[in-house]
């Protein structure tokens, strides 16, 4: 990876950590309290439903898999699939969902695989499986082929600023910060080349701020964003919820914008598995995908939002007060500037409007933007790389097995031309034209 070493990722994360449905058969009942001893993080709830009868022809090759997640609201589909017994329902009764400290740790554990003490798959930033497959962020730059089986959500992230910039009330236009920000002033993202990095860079560049020369972009684990803003270690950050909401609640800063305002219904996290695991266990991969898709349908139902937030707020999951999660999960966004949206049109979605389907056109944008900022070579064959990593065929097989209506299964792998808040368009068939039209870039 250009100008960024794997060692730097590890050191940065380490220092930061040290320093501070159609709900197809899915129960909507509350999770049973465990009373005394709490099961290990990610352990199945005692009330988890037993596995349904599985057609022998569809029986998973294995019943176990280790999946990682970061403490973010958009990890809800994996958490709910575990808590509601959905993995077990489809024959994966021994799935473990375990908390990861940071995205570099997620990467490292995926490199290891479960047979060496790591994990088989994860809730992950959508560009990361591509970086791993290309070997740009892995040990010794050795490729670790990955597969994306589903998109976990669209929207649901935000860019937040320190309260010292409250008078500016900056929104989608970052230009007012050009004079206010000092040279190399730190702004935080969660992983170089990941979604939050790309949202931050796109927003700054659109306002005439070069993220490589005008500010210092630093990686910080999501759960540590608010603490670092309090300590003055950064002036702005881009991260998923509930950390932006918590920043506003604690009156440490304000939300400049939610990322759906940059790009309506943009793709965000993904469900990814090691490619060798999928190749060895295709039926198990489909079963995991079925469980996650059913959980996404459940999570997207308004009547389940309160329960979802109560479940994921637990210490073994996000360890965040329900009050810091619930509002934005319902589209109720207090920006901390006096602006309040009662029903945001760009709130997080798990299933609606094809949020779960992993469009190849979206992955083409992620690769194109990574070329823009020099994270991957300009010679990267975008289409071939997307075809290698993106397994939308497994998504469709899982959706069909769940009897998802045909109208909810996209007929094409492209959502077409995308338009961003500043009028820039991305045609997935012509990524080179998009790159040529950008003013601030490396590539």
């Amino acid at each position: 990876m250009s100008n960024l070493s794997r060692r730097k990722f590890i050191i940065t994360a380490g220092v930061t950590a040290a320093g501070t449905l159609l709900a197809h058969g899915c129960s909507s009942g509350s999770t049973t309290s465990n009373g005394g001893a709490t099961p290990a993080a990610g352990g199945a709830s005692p009330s988890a439903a037993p596995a349904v009868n599985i057609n022998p022809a569809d029986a998973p090759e294995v019943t176990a898999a280790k999946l990682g997640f970061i403490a973010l609201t958009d990890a809800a589909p994996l958490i709910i699939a575990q808590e509601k017994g959905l993995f077990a329902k489809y024959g994966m009764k021994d799935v473990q969902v375990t908390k990861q400290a940071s995205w570099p740790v997620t990467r490292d554990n995926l490199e290891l695989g479960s047979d060496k003490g790591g994990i088989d798959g994860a809730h992950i930033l959508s560009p990361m499986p591509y970086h791993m497959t290309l070997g740009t962020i892995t040990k010794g730059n050795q490729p670790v082929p990955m597969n994306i089986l589903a998109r976990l959500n669209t929207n649901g992230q935000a860019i937040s600023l320190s309260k010292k910039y409250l008078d500016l009330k900056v929104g989608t236009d970052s230009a007012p910060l050009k004079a206010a920000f000092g040279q190399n002033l730190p702004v935080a993202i969660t992983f170089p080349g990941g979604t939050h990095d790309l949202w931050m860079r796109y927003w700054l560049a659109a306002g005439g701020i070069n993220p490589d020369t005008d500010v210092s972009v630093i990686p910080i684990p999501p759960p540590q964003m608010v603490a670092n803003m309090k300590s003055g270690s950064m002036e702005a950050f881009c991260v998923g919820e509930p950390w932006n909401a918590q920043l506003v609640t604690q009156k440490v800063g304000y939300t400049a914008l939610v990322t759906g305002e940059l790009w309506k219904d943009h793709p965000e996290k993904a469900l990814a598995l090691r490619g060798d695991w999928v190749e060895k266990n295709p039926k198990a991969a489909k079963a995991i995908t079925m469980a996650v898709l059913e959980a996404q349908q459940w999570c997207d139902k308004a009547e389940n939002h309160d329960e979802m937030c109560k479940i994921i707020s637990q210490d073994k999951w996000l360890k965040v007060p329900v009050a810091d999660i619930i509002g934005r999960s319902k589209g109720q966004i207090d920006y901390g500037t006096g602006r309040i949206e009662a029903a945001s049109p760009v709130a997080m979605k798990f299933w609606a409007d094809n949020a779960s389907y992993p469009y190849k056109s979206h992955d083409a944008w992620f690769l194109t933007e990574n070329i823009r900022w020099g994270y991957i070579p300009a010679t990267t064959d975008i289409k071939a790389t997307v075809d290698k990593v993106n397994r939308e065929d497994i998504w469709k097989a899982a959706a069909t097995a769940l009897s998802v209506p045909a109208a909810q299964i996209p007929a094409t792998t492209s959502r077409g031309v995308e338009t961003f808040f500043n009028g820039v368009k991305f045609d997935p068939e012509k990524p080179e034209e998009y790159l040529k039209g950008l003013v601030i870039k490396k590539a």
Side-chain angles (χ1 to χ4, degrees), residues 299-317:
C299 288
D300 233 22
K301 288 180 174 290
E303 61 266 31
N304 295 331
H305 287 171
D306 286 341
E307 184 185 353
M308 181 193 81
C309 293
K310 182 178 180 180
I311 290 172
I312 69 175
S313 73
Q314 297 176 64
D315 286 0
K316 64 178 178 178
W317 302 121

Side-chain angles (χ1 to χ4, degrees), residues 7 49 69 73 90 108 120 136-137 155 188 194 237 247 270 279 292 308 320 336 356 388 396 402 414 430:
R7 178 176 297 178
F69 79 98
T73 303
Y90 296 110
D108 291 347
D120 302 303
T136 56
I137 61 172
N155 304 324
F237 63 64
L247 185 83
E279 183 177 5
V292 170
M308 181 193 81
V320 172
S356 173
K388 181 178 181 180
K396 286 185 175 179
L402 286 172
S414 175
K430 302 174 183 178

Side-chain angles (χ1 to χ4, degrees), residues 208-232:
I209 300 171
N210 190 321
D212 287 321
T213 59
D214 296 336
V215 296
S216 177
V217 180
I218 59 174
I220 299 290
Q224 295 170 26
M225 289 290 190
V226 177
N228 274 272
M229 187 78 90
K230 281 183 178 179
S231 70

Side-chain angles (χ1 to χ4, degrees), residues 149 357 391-401 409-413:
L149 284 72
Y357 180 69
R391 294 299 306 272
E392 56 84 31
D393 58 312
I394 295 178
W395 188 97
K396 286 185 175 179
T400 300
I409 300 178
T412 173
T413 61

Side-chain angles (χ1 to χ4, degrees), residues 97-339:
V97 180
T98 61
K99 187 180 292 186
Q100 309 294 297
S102 65
W103 295 119
V105 170
T106 300
R107 174 211 49 210
D108 291 347
N109 282 329
L110 283 169
E111 282 190 63
L112 288 171
S114 63
D115 57 338
K116 295 181 180 178
I119 56 179
D120 302 303
H123 150 254
I124 199 167
L125 299 166
S126 285
M128 285 183 68
Y130 287 96
H131 282 289
M132 294 186 69
T133 299
L134 293 169
T136 56
I137 61 172
T138 50
K139 186 182 299 182
N141 297 123
Q142 292 298 309
V144 178
M146 297 290 297
N147 285 157
I148 287 176
L149 284 72
R151 201 77 65 197
L152 290 179
N153 67 296
T154 57
N155 304 324
Q157 321 301 297
I159 294 177
S160 293
L161 295 170
S162 166
K163 64 181 180 181
K164 70 175 66 172
Y165 303 105
L166 186 58
D167 289 345
L168 293 178
K169 292 188 177 180
V170 175
T172 53
D173 182 10
S174 65
L177 292 172
K178 191 172 180 65
F181 275 3
Q183 189 75 10
N184 293 323
L185 181 146
V187 298
I189 47 85
T190 62
F191 192 86
T195 52
H196 304 117
D197 186 27
L198 300 184
W199 308 141
M200 177 67 80
R201 286 173 175 273
Y202 191 97
W203 177 66
L204 291 173
I209 300 171
N210 190 321
D212 287 321
T213 59
D214 296 336
V215 296
S216 177
V217 180
I218 59 174
I220 299 290
Q224 295 170 26
M225 289 290 190
V226 177
N228 274 272
M229 187 78 90
K230 281 183 178 179
S231 70
S233 300
M234 66 181 74
E235 301 296 301
F237 63 64
C238 182
V239 72
E241 297 303 341
W243 308 111
N244 299 282
Q246 190 173 88
L247 185 83
V248 172
T249 299
Q250 297 184 15
K251 301 186 184 306
V252 179
Y254 69 98
T255 292
L257 70 152
V258 294
T259 48
E261 295 174 270
L262 290 180
W263 176 10
K264 187 177 185 294
D265 292 343
H266 68 75
E268 183 51 42
K269 304 300 188 302
L271 166 66
L273 290 167
R274 284 178 57 105
D276 57 1
W277 197 94
V278 175
E279 183 177 5
K280 185 178 180 181
N281 307 295
K283 294 177 183 178
K286 176 184 171 183
I288 287 173
T289 306
M290 290 173 68
V292 170
L293 263 59
E294 184 169 332
Q296 289 180 278
Q297 294 172 332
W298 186 90
C299 288
D300 233 22
K301 288 180 174 290
E303 61 266 31
N304 295 331
H305 287 171
D306 286 341
E307 184 185 353
M308 181 193 81
C309 293
K310 182 178 180 180
I311 290 172
I312 69 175
S313 73
Q314 297 176 64
D315 286 0
K316 64 178 178 178
W317 302 121
L318 271 59
K319 198 176 181 180
V320 172
V322 175
D324 287 346
I325 308 173
I326 189 66
R328 295 195 181 200
S329 293
K330 293 182 175 182
Q332 300 163 0
I333 302 175
D334 179 353
Y335 286 73
T337 61
R339 177 189 174 188

